[in-house]
DNA sequence: TTATTTTAGCAACATTGTTGCAATAATAAA
DNA sequence: TTTATTATTGCAACAATGTTGCTAAAATAA
């Protein structure tokens, strides 16, 4: 996979942001005219494939993209996410890994944990 | 809120189904021409408001609607959901309530827990 | 039965995401 | 460096999904 301006800038945005970013956020944050919105979709897909970012489906169905911090060893995104209804931020709670016990027979491949409410900064 | 044919039929569908249903599912399952797709959206909103159903945002961002089983006492939907990538079913795991501990300052109002993979019937 | 108010249908629109294809740009090979 | 190869981009077109405003119809109250 090739290194392009769009890819570099988008990864930079996601990495530097302290909240998770949606496609719309990225579109707004990128310098006007840097690339087409279709390109953003495609770049995000590539970054996901390469394992440089992970995604969170928010409580409103919007996909948010987050940089992978502790994924050098192995990719696991069992952690919780928080979506603030006031500041609209979506963040990774990297250290919160909910525990639960499934009945036999379930093979889990993906996990999407989201809490919604008011974050510490907004309360 | 008034009792109408569309509302009755849609609630019936959701209640009788052993999997959670998306707007598209409901549209397909309803007798052809029973009501407009806009009506389905509005009926679902009303059923949510009345607390007769709850919703789950699936891992693909699609909203699925589920009947409320143990909500007579109080509404709580802390339970896990499972989305099967083979049979495409989304189901409530009513008895699985993940436990986790949040840092102080977070006020949780909504919860959306979804696991994706292969369900017992498909494995 | 009549009056009131919610609900339904329809058209129009906005948003979001996808696909095909030709032009362009990044990398590999010469 | 130059050329060849192949991934990536932009654009247009399209599909799917969800929302809104308005009038007609239906449900309930009077
Ligand atoms: Zn906040
Ligand atoms: Zn995360
Ligand atoms: Zn299955
Ligand atoms: Zn449920």
């Amino acid at each position: 996979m090739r290194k392009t301006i769009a890819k570099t800038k988008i990864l930079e945005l996601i990495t530097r942001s302290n909240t998770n970013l949606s496609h719309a956020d990225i579109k707004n944050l990128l310098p006007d005219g840097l690339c087409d919105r279709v390109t953003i979709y495609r770049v995000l897909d590539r970054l996901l494939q390469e394992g440089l970012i992970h995604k969170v489906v928010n409580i409103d169905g919007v996909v948010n993209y987050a940089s992978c911090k502790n994924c050098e060893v192995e990719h696991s995104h069992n952690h919780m996410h928080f979506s603030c209804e006031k500041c609209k931020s979506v963040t990774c709670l990297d250290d919160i890994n909910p525990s639960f016990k499934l009945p036999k027979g379930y093979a889990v491949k993906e996990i999407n944990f989201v809490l919604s409410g008011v974050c510490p900064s907004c309360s």
Side-chain angles (χ1 to χ4, degrees), chain A:
Chain A
M1 286 185 184
R2 296 181 180 176
K3 185 177 178 176
T4 64
I5 299 165
K7 190 180 165 190
T8 307
K9 291 286 181 190
I10 291 172
L11 181 56
E12 230 172 72
L13 266 184
I14 296 174
T15 307
R16 291 190 183 159
S17 173
N18 45 9
T19 64
N20 303 346
L21 302 176
S22 67
H23 175 273
D25 293 332
I26 293 169
K27 189 169 166 308
N28 293 333
L29 288 168
L30 283 178
D32 208 53
L34 185 130
C35 71
D36 195 74
R37 68 192 182 92
V38 179
T39 300
I40 301 178
Y41 284 114
R42 299 199 262 225
V43 166
L44 288 170
D45 282 344
R46 269 183 281 151
L47 292 173
L48 281 172
Q49 273 183 47
E50 294 183 58
L52 296 172
I53 61 175
H54 67 282
K55 67 175 178 177
V56 195
V57 179
N58 198 359
I59 212 142
D60 59 3
V62 174
V63 178
N64 287 67
Y65 300 88
S67 60
C68 285
K69 286 154 200 158
N70 311 313
C71 288
E72 283 78 24
V73 199
E74 58 167 337
H75 260 281
S76 75
H77 297 290
N78 305 3
H79 61 267
M80 183 72 82
H81 297 89
F82 195 89
S83 171
C84 179
E85 61 189 24
K86 286 203 177 175
C87 65
K88 308 294 176 196
S89 68
V90 179
T91 50
C92 292
L93 303 177
D94 290 291
D95 302 325
I96 320 288
N97 289 55
S99 65
F100 54 91
K101 209 161 71 183
L102 282 184
K104 293 208 186 299
Y106 288 99
V108 177
K109 296 193 181 172
E110 275 187 84
I111 288 179
N112 197 75
F113 288 158
V114 182
L115 300 176
S116 171
V118 185
C119 76
S121 324
C122 291
S123 61

